[in-house]
């Protein structure tokens, strides 16, 4: 039987970590763009106008109802089939696996996060909004100064889960030739045929990242909840 | 009946109960004869609920001896099961099974525990539903009934097991005022028919008219125990007098 | 559209594979979830620790990594075992169907563990007490009172787990399972129409998601029919 090849692990970890830059780029870029998109989608969704809300709901439905891998494939492998894509100004981005991965991840995470935000907004006590109205604040002012801060704090647990999900999804970029940590790991396994050593090592790295994300959000939540202290 | 030779159907001797460091029951001794109606009253935290919950082992007493219908309550599961079959309990928050219809609520224990057939269980159930005066609600769900109706169902559910003793843990405390009397009426009927019962309640009118003995508990101890006339008209202890003045003040 | 003709059959069979995986993985997921929840709710510290380890690992690791680890890992293990018996053996394959179902079930099972655990904790203690006061045994209380209350609480979040389950099926194409995405890749190679094929795959999965969502909604209605307040 084989023994654990420790030397291989020691050799491979630095190689795997070379991909961490790409992993983080995918994560942070998609998170930023996705969150921005989510805000837009949220505003459309709660606008009260059916012609804005309905397409938004369809968009969210599609992106949450299909596998993200399929979405990645459609954008990277599928779009080049269409002539107008090849001739558009976006072609340089859409031609590259990195650009496609970012777009797919952003579009996907935007759909999920907008629903999370919507949950947060709905969770804000009606009484607080009414108090704002009674004080003379406009709809927009109420949204910015009253609803949003509370909603954000309510969303944090679900949002942090989504960040973890997004981080895990970045590994799918390896299926379209990108050499993030997962991509490098697969390459090494193909060379050495040592799946346990390599995959378990990269798993540990991913778990550490997950832990960091969760701790960070735990800290943010604590900071944001400081005003809520239970009276003894 | 199996309790010939036991005049006391329930016997508590020097019972202590601790929740961590907090002592809920201090050296409690109580005897209940068959057919007796006991009302237990006292301020919150006095241990009255803990007392009756120890009788059917929903709480485990820390020391002392509890004997119910000839069975001593220990950790022996067989004893506990035997006791629970003969002792019925009605809770402050009714605790009906929400996913079952009223009649199914009543039929569950007899079919599972006494191995009654479905039709036997159904007949018993309908009999007791009529006894608590709501037979027409049999196929409804608990959420569709008022609080008073739900509590009456809870009483019927306990009765379907044909218990020898009925324990009531503040049965009307969670009810809107206008529904209290319908439940007390059922309990009074039950008492009149000779059911042995221990009732934890603040309803002093009920205590006066139904109880054989009224027990006052405070800080985990039985302070005073007397028939209702003496209890209400001639309380012995300062604490009893204080409690009565507070509770009868409205 | 004409490109798809000739491939309908294959997509159909691929969809069937998706359905098969779904049901196999679903059963395993419920199993792992119940075992995990039981372990987390038990008094044994060892069980707690193992279950916590399980949920942490499988919720924090990319699904594709779990899948590849399982697939290649079991192939390697099987090969090693086989080589003990017959040194000539070069490579023993592990069917992607089972590697995939198991991997997905373990992943979603870790989420289900938390869901089931929360649902068990959400059962009103008063009902359990009432059952015990009536003399109903622990096992009977579990079956007739605890479980009916618990699955109703677990249903909404579990519906989401089922959606994740069916979407993760697409990942198994990576290890060669011939479900719809895999078929689409083959079709693309021949027809040169990747967009059409992959959109079709998306549509198929969207269809499955919709079926699941509607089924869960119907099930929720049934589960809560006792709550219809009316007098």
């Amino acid at each position: 039987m084989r023994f654990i090849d420790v030397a291989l692990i020691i050799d491979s970890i630095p190689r795997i970590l070379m991909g961490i830059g790409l992993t983080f780029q995918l994560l942070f870029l998609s998170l930023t763009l996705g969150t921005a998109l989510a805000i837009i989608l949220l505003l459309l969704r709660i606008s009260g106008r059916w012609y804005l809300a309905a397409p938004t709901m369809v968009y969210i439905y599609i992106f949450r109802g299909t596998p993200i891998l399929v979405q990645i494939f459609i954008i990277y492998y599928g779009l080049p089939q269409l002539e107008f894509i090849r001739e558009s100004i976006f072609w340089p981005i859409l031609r590259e696996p990195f650009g496609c991965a970012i777009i797919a991840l952003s579009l996907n995470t935007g759909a999920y996060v907008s629903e999370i935000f919507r949950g947060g907004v709905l969770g804000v006590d009606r009484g607080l909004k009414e108090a704002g109205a009674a004080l003379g604040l406009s709809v927009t002012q109420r949204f910015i100064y009253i609803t949003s801060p509370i909603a954000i704090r309510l969303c944090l647990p679900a949002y942090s889960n989504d960040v973890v999900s997004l981080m895990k999804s970045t590994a799918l970029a390896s299926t379209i030739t990108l050499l993030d940590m997962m991509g490098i790991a697969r390459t090494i396994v193909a060379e050495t045929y040592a799946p346990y050593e390599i995959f378990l090592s990269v798993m540990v790295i991913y778990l550490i990242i997950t832990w960091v994300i969760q701790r960070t959000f735990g800290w943010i939540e604590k900071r944001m909840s400081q005003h809520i202290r239970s009276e003894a | 009946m199996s309790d010939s030779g036991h005049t006391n159907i329930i016997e508590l001797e020097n019972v202590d109960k601790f929740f961590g460091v907090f002592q809920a029951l201090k050296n409690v001794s109580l005897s209940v004869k068959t057919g007796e109606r006991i009302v237990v009253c006292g301020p919150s935290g006095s241990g009255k609920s803990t007392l009756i919950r120890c009788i059917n082992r929903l709480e485990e007493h820390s020391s002392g001896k509890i004997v119910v219908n000839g069975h001593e309550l220990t950790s022996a599961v067989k004893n506990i099961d035997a006791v629970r079959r003969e002792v019925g309990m009605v809770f402050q928050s009714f605790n009906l099974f929400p996913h079952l219809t009223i009649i199914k609520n009543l039929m569950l224990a007899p079919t599972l525990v006494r191995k009654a057939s479905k039709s036997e269980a159904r007949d018993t159930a309908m009999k007791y539903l009529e006894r608590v005066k709501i037979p027409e609600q049999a196929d409804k769900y608990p959420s569709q009934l008022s609080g008073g109706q739900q509590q009456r169902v809870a009483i019927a559910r306990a009765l379907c097991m044909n218990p020898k003793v009925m324990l009531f843990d503040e049965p009307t405390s969670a009810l809107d005022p206008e529904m209290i009397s319908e439940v007390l009426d059922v309990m009074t009927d039950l008492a009149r028919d000779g059911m042995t019962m221990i009732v934890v309640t603040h309803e002093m009118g009920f205590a006066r008219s139904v109880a054989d003995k009224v027990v006052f508990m405070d800080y985990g101890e039985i302070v005073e125990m007397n028939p209702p006339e003496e209890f209400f008209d001639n309380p012995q202890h300062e604490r009893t007098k204080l409690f009565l003045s507070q509770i009868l003040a409205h | 559209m004409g490109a798809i003709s000739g491939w309908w059959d294959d997509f159909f069979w691929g969809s069937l594979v998706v359905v098969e995986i779904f049901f196999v993985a679903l059963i395993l997921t419920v199993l792992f979830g119940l075992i995990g929840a039981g372990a987390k709710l038990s008094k044994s510290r060892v069980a707690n620790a193992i279950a916590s380890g399980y949920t942490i690992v499988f919720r924090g690791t990319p699904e594709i990594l779990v899948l590849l680890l399982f697939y290649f890992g079991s192939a390697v293990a099987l090969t090693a075992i086989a080589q003990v018996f017959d040194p000539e053996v070069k490579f023993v394959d592990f069917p992607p169907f089972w590697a995939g179902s198991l991997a997905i079930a373990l992943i979603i099972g870790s989420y289900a563990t938390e869901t089931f655990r929360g649902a068990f904790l959400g059962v009103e203690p008063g009902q359990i007490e009432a059952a015990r006061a009536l003399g109903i045994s622990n096992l009977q209380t579990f079956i007739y009172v605890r479980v009916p209350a618990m699955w109703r609480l677990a249903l909404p979040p579990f519906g989401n787990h089922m959606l994740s389950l069916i979407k993760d099926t697409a990942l198994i194409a990576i290890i060669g399972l011939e479900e719809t995405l895999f078929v689409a890749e083959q079709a693309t190679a021949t027809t040169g129409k990747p967009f059409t094929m992959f959109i079709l795959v998306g549509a198929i999965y969207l269809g499955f998601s919709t079926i699941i969502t509607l089924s869960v909604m119907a099930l929720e209605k049934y589960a809560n029919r006792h709550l219809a307040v009316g007098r």
Side-chain angles (χ1 to χ4, degrees), chain A residues 180-202:
Chain A
D180 66 325
M181 293 200 297
M182 192 67 217
I184 295 179
R186 289 171 73 176
T187 315
I188 303 180
V189 170
E191 291 166 8
T192 64
Y193 209 56
Y196 289 111
E197 286 88 342
I198 307 300
F199 284 145
L200 286 175
S201 308
V202 73

Side-chain angles (χ1 to χ4, degrees), chain C residues 143-195:
Chain C
I143 298 175
Y144 293 97
V145 178
R146 221 185 266 273
V147 169
M150 169 266 181
W151 76 259
R152 286 169 165 89
L153 287 172
L155 189 55
F158 193 75
N160 279 332
H161 298 330
M162 289 204 280
L163 287 176
S164 300
L165 200 62
I166 199 142
K167 288 186 291 179
D168 284 350
T169 313
L171 295 174
I172 316 185
I174 304 289
I175 55 172
L177 180 71
E178 291 176 24
E179 50 74 72
T180 49
L181 187 59
F182 187 86
V183 169
E185 288 178 290
Q186 291 177 319
T188 304
T190 342
T191 63
K193 300 261 187 233
F195 187 75

Side-chain angles (χ1 to χ4, degrees), chain A residues 61 64-65 81 112 193 196, chain C residues 73 91 111 167 193 195 209-210:
Chain A
Y61 184 66
R64 283 172 41 135
Q81 176 193 330
Y112 279 95
Y193 209 56
Y196 289 111
Chain C
F91 179 68
Y111 289 97
K167 288 186 291 179
K193 300 261 187 233
F195 187 75
S209 297
T210 309

Side-chain angles (χ1 to χ4, degrees), chain B residues 53 56-58 81 84 87 89 91 95-99 108-109 112-113 115 141 143-146 157-158 161, chain C residues 124-137 140 144-145 148-149 152 225-231:
Chain B
R53 285 163 64 91
N56 68 352
R57 199 76 175 177
L58 285 183
D81 284 346
R84 286 183 180 158
V87 173
M89 183 163 215
F91 299 85
N95 290 338
L96 295 179
F97 304 126
H99 58 285
L108 186 68
L112 290 181
V113 181
K115 315 281 186 216
Y141 286 100
S143 63
Q144 295 170 290
L145 269 54
S146 73
R157 182 177 63 173
M161 289 293 285
Chain C
E124 286 168 26
Q127 284 181 48
I128 310 292
E129 282 191 347
R132 289 170 65 201
L134 284 165
I136 301 179
S137 77
Q140 290 167 332
Y144 293 97
V145 178
R152 286 169 165 89
R225 72 198 197 292
H226 62 280
L227 287 179
V229 180
R231 282 179 38 212

Side-chain angles (χ1 to χ4, degrees), chain B residues 178-198:
Chain B
E178 66 272 12
M179 295 192 247
I180 293 182
S181 55
E182 71 195 57
V183 172
L184 290 181
D185 286 344
V186 167
M187 290 165 63
T188 309
D189 274 343
L190 220 51
R192 215 167 313 178
D193 290 339
M195 172 66 75
T196 316
M197 48 171 68
I198 306 181

